[in-house]
Amino acid sequence: MIKFFRHIRQRMINENRITKYLLYAIGEIVLVVIGILIALQVNSWNQGRKDSELVRIRLSELVQDLELDRSHFKYHLDLASEENHRIDSILALLGAETADQDVLMGMIRQGSGFTIRKPWVMIATTESPQLHDKTFLSIQNSGQLALFDNDLQQSIGSFYSYHQKYSLMIGEIIKVKNTIHSDFVRTIPYNPNPNSSVLNARLEDQLWRNVDHGQAQNRYITLLNTFRELNLKSIFFNTIRLEKTRVMIDEMNSVIGTMSEPEVDHRARPAN
């Protein structure tokens, strides 16, 4: 093909047809430019398809992380609600005028460790919240977030900023609860191991006989009321996080759905 065009040019020069030669040369340059532009367009289209597939994969990974977060938030929400239900039951028993003091002290003694699963023993929410944000951090640090639609970039960035802020706030609530519990158990003969030996159990019994029942009960009621207020905050934050996570998952799934739709072939098909 190249030899063919070279032959045409040489013949025009030999025949002294300069004007036609110049027109031909310009036309040849235009064809080359058009070819280059087409190649660039094809390359850009292929790169766009690769970027779109990468965005779809990363969005799917983000959804998987958010589903784990949603399950974790729901767990902590339910646990804090259950804890407050137990607290209300315990406070009602402690405030009853007909309550036996020995029974109440037994409740305080068992409830101080939050380990015995009985209706009158509180199971404290002391587990630090987890945040599955490795995919988001990977996308952010690699610069892949720039491949996302501008509106989606803003939604994801704003969501994770909020996500991290409230995780820190809930983490602080857990720290306060642990501190309050530690302060309380320092005022009583606290035994972290309920399955200790008989000798240790007898020693513990003797120590508990020397505890001022009124002070222990007041401290325990203060502990319960404080935990209840902190749990209400945790429930509030987790409820909001659950809703925001649901909205974010729906938005991402919607985008994934549009990206996963097969391309429609509009070419006419031969009739059967």
Side-chain angles (χ1 to χ4, degrees), residues 265-270:
D265 189 352
H266 297 286
R267 292 175 297 180
R269 296 182 179 181

Side-chain angles (χ1 to χ4, degrees), residues 176-236:
V176 171
K177 291 177 71 174
N178 286 330
T179 300
I180 292 172
H181 177 246
S182 298
D183 291 342
F184 170 73
V185 297
R186 279 199 291 267
T187 66
I188 60 173
Y190 172 58
N191 179 16
N193 180 17
N195 298 317
S196 56
S197 65
V198 175
L199 180 61
N200 287 339
R202 289 177 179 174
L203 176 60
E204 185 182 356
D205 289 340
Q206 182 60 44
L207 293 173
W208 272 97
R209 292 191 187 97
N210 297 327
V211 171
D212 186 304
H213 289 196
Q215 288 185 2
Q217 185 170 323
N218 288 335
R219 292 193 186 107
Y220 193 54
I221 289 174
T222 300
L223 170 75
L224 295 175
N225 283 324
T226 305
F227 268 40
R228 190 178 187 282
E229 291 301 317
L230 292 171
N231 284 335
L232 289 175
K233 292 181 180 180
S234 180
I235 291 170
F236 173 75

Side-chain angles (χ1 to χ4, degrees), residues 4 65 90 92 100 106 120 142 162 175 183 191 201 268:
F4 174 75
D65 284 355
I90 296 170
D100 184 278
W120 63 85
S142 65
Y162 162 88
K175 288 180 182 179
D183 291 342
N191 179 16

